[in-house]
Amino acid sequence: MIKMSHAQRLRDLLEDAIVEGRFPPGTKLDPEALGREYQCSRTPIREALQQLAASGMVKVVPKRGTFVTQLGVSELVERFEVMAELEAMCGRLAARRITTQELSELKDAHAACRERLEADDANGYYYENGLFHHCLYRASHNAFLTEEATRLHAILKPYRRLQLHVRHRMHSSYAEHEAIVAAIEAGDATAAEQALKDHVHIQGERFTDLVANIERLHEVS
């Protein structure tokens, strides 16, 4: 088992707090307040914030402090466009390179999504959905692509989480997962690529839903 540093554990806690909306986009993160809340010294707080800054989840503004990254509509659309292309590439490569064990893990993650869907648990589905996508990244067997997809996935977490609370989005997301798994299992690289691009890309009603979700986040920031 890999032993996590105190800073890494703190980073994960802060990331979860950002994703869950406790620190909405635009929020200033006060190291002293964080130290009191998480009962730790400034050193691991500083290291955790540096790690979050490297991932893009927070932004350090000289002489002002550290803020949770706040993206406008155009910035988000641009990032979702790139995310769609990265995941499409992961799907295309995974259809050719996935191992038997990795396919089993992907199906397990898909089954876990179904359980959360049937329980009408959007937060639980979000967690299992993340595992599903990370299975795909690893199955591409391209370390650089996996790293970049994982980094951008982290930046978009707060917004992807809110999307799952849109009515019927969990059901459509699961149906899209079905098509992705089927294409990868069949070794159909073209179908897997298109299925993932359609799954992530924002257009039409999903675009207007995203705008509404951004407004909700900004209202509480």
Side-chain angles (χ1 to χ4, degrees), residues 49-173:
L49 291 177
Q50 288 173 346
Q51 291 176 22
L52 288 172
S55 75
M57 290 196 77
V58 303
K59 183 177 182 180
V60 179
V61 181
K63 299 183 180 180
R64 289 187 57 201
T66 302
F67 299 81
V68 178
T69 300
Q70 183 167 348
L71 301 173
V73 174
S74 61
E75 293 172 308
L76 268 175
V77 169
E78 289 172 351
R79 283 157 179 76
F80 270 107
E81 284 179 344
V82 174
M83 189 81 255
E85 295 297 332
L86 291 177
E87 295 219 11
M89 189 181 299
C90 286
R92 175 165 53 82
L93 294 177
R96 303 203 317 253
R97 300 175 177 178
I98 196 167
T99 66
T100 301
Q101 178 61 34
E102 288 167 343
L103 181 59
S104 177
E105 291 171 357
L106 183 65
K107 288 182 174 180
D108 287 345
H110 185 44
C113 285
R114 182 177 181 83
E115 290 179 3
R116 294 302 90 212
L117 172 64
E118 292 174 344
D120 196 27
D121 177 7
N123 288 332
Y125 185 94
Y126 167 80
Y127 175 76
E128 301 298 348
N129 177 70
L131 295 179
F132 178 87
H133 283 268
H134 285 296
C135 283
L136 286 169
Y137 303 162
R138 292 193 300 272
S140 73
H141 290 270
N142 182 311
F144 180 75
L145 176 60
T146 298
E147 181 180 344
E148 290 302 301
T150 300
R151 184 184 65 82
L152 188 51
H153 182 96
I155 294 172
L156 294 174
K157 272 183 173 182
Y159 303 94
R160 296 183 82 156
R161 186 189 192 98
L162 274 180
Q163 281 186 307
L164 290 173
H165 288 275
V166 173
R167 191 179 183 190
H168 302 312
R169 178 55 195 154
M170 273 197 297
H171 288 83
S172 57
S173 172

Side-chain angles (χ1 to χ4, degrees), residues 198-217:
D198 292 342
H199 179 58
V200 178
H201 193 57
I202 295 174
Q203 54 191 347
E205 291 182 353
R206 288 177 64 186
F207 175 79
T208 57
D209 288 339
L210 175 65
V211 173
N213 285 335
I214 293 171
E215 291 174 350
R216 283 174 56 195
L217 276 175

